[in-house]
Amino acid sequence: MNDVARVARVSLGTVSNVLNKPEIVAERTRLRVQAAIDELGFVRNSAARSLAAGSSRTIGLVLTDVGNSLFVDIARGAESAAHENGHALLLANSDVDLQKQEGYLDIFDEARVAGIILAPLDAGLEGVDRVRRHGRHIVLVNYAGGRTDCCSVLVDEEHGGYLAARHLIDLGRQRLVFAGGPDNLHAVNDRRKGAMRAASETRGAVSLEVIMGRSLNSPEGRRIAGDLASRGRSRMPDGIIAPSDQLAAGIIHELTGTYGLRVPQDIAVIGYDNNQFATEGAIPMSTIGQPGREMGRVATKLLLEEVSQGGQHVHRNLMLEPTLFARASTLGR
């Protein structure tokens, strides 16, 4: 800033005003200072500025997987709320990698961001403790590991599984399969519990078989569909609940393309997440959607509330509701 002041032949205070309160600087002076800034390639040190001011106008957001449109929606909601409140959003993708997640937490911590929104992996949350010890505010979204010592925004996954199973039951399906997903993922387990609860309410009129899998992707869905088809049509389910849209897409592709079965006439299939491609296939997919944008907006508001209130802030754990989107894979054309 001293260099800018020297080249523009103004005081250091004038340079500061051009950067922070340009409306109070005469236009001719402001243009001269801006020309000096451009000539010197000056970029303000936001980290130093935050240290001097005692606050930052930047929020860090660490997402699990930007390949999943749920997390893209969370980012859009968070960015919108941050912008409305005069903050910028820095986005990081852990790509389902715990080391990356921990590394990004440290990067945002070192950058002295105002706070961090974290969509964590189903793993230990030691990084949360680490950055909070440094005075960094943090809000958890989509998974909280049972923590109550920081704010969180979650979706009722068990109710989502219940809605999926109830939808098939209400359509008259009686032999259901909950297909796929690792049993060490909290979301998969909660969705399965909800589906089991819906089946149990029928008092034996509807059966529900659980088939756990290795992942939530399309190849795993094709593998599960192949295993089911190998039983023969008489032992096939008439309804499948997949805990992800990618799984459901693989199941539908294999059942219809390889085995010539009709969806939903022979087997109705419902997914989970309401990913963008759910409506783009030859058979638009029924699914359970999560309010990603609302999750991001609410998480940002909670974070900024904590930043402004400091020690007076009371942590809250908010639970949002999922939504059923019924389409051709269960309803027909």
Side-chain angles (χ1 to χ4, degrees), residues 144 146-154 302 315-319:
R147 298 183 70 127
T148 58
D149 58 347
C150 52
C151 288
S152 62
V153 181
L154 310 175
L302 286 174
H315 294 308
R316 286 181 284 162
N317 306 104
L318 303 182
M319 185 75 74

Side-chain angles (χ1 to χ4, degrees), residues 187-226:
V188 172
N189 287 334
D190 287 349
R191 293 166 191 177
R192 184 179 71 248
K193 290 176 185 176
M196 293 173 68
R197 177 161 58 88
S200 69
E201 290 177 352
T202 69
R203 300 182 182 276
V206 172
S207 64
L208 177 68
E209 178 185 358
V210 174
I211 301 175
M212 301 309 296
R214 297 185 290 266
S215 65
L216 293 168
N217 58 27
S218 181
E220 180 71 353
R222 293 197 292 271
R223 184 192 67 79
I224 291 172

Side-chain angles (χ1 to χ4, degrees), residues 88-146:
L89 187 76
L90 296 178
L91 174 64
N93 173 35
S94 71
D95 204 22
V96 201
D97 185 317
L98 183 59
Q99 282 190 313
K100 281 188 178 181
Q101 174 180 294
E102 298 296 285
Y104 283 129
L105 286 175
D106 289 336
I107 289 171
F108 286 149
D109 189 16
E110 293 166 9
R112 303 294 198 273
V113 295
I116 301 170
I117 301 170
L118 171 64
L121 301 174
D122 278 30
L125 296 175
E126 292 81 4
V128 174
D129 295 321
R130 185 172 62 254
V131 299
R132 289 183 74 242
R133 283 196 299 269
H134 299 162
R136 210 65 52 221
H137 304 291
I138 190 162
V139 172
L140 302 175
V141 63
N142 198 51
Y143 175 64

Side-chain angles (χ1 to χ4, degrees), residues 65-77 244-246 249 271-290 292-293 325 327:
D65 178 14
V66 295
N68 184 328
S69 63
L70 167 65
F71 296 107
V72 175
D73 288 343
I74 290 173
R76 291 185 182 278
S244 82
D245 287 342
Q246 290 188 40
Y272 206 107
D273 283 335
N274 196 32
N275 270 306
Q276 293 172 347
F277 65 82
T279 60
E280 296 175 358
I283 304 174
M285 188 188 305
S286 293
T287 186
I288 303 297
Q290 303 180 77
R293 292 201 181 206
F325 293 89
R327 301 187 180 109

Side-chain angles (χ1 to χ4, degrees), residues 235-293:
R235 298 177 57 201
M236 288 278 287
D238 59 8
I240 296 177
I241 303 155
S244 82
D245 287 342
Q246 290 188 40
L247 263 172
I251 289 170
I252 292 172
H253 181 273
E254 192 73 4
L255 290 178
T256 58
T258 302
Y259 295 99
L261 294 169
R262 299 170 301 163
V263 173
Q265 293 86 344
D266 298 320
I267 304 178
V269 180
I270 184 168
Y272 206 107
D273 283 335
N274 196 32
N275 270 306
Q276 293 172 347
F277 65 82
T279 60
E280 296 175 358
I283 304 174
M285 188 188 305
S286 293
T287 186
I288 303 297
Q290 303 180 77
R293 292 201 181 206

Side-chain angles (χ1 to χ4, degrees), residues 45-65:
N45 187 330
S46 61
R49 184 166 176 260
S50 297
L51 286 173
S55 63
S56 169
R57 307 297 289 179
T58 303
I59 294 170
L61 172 61
V62 184
L63 297 175
T64 307
D65 178 14

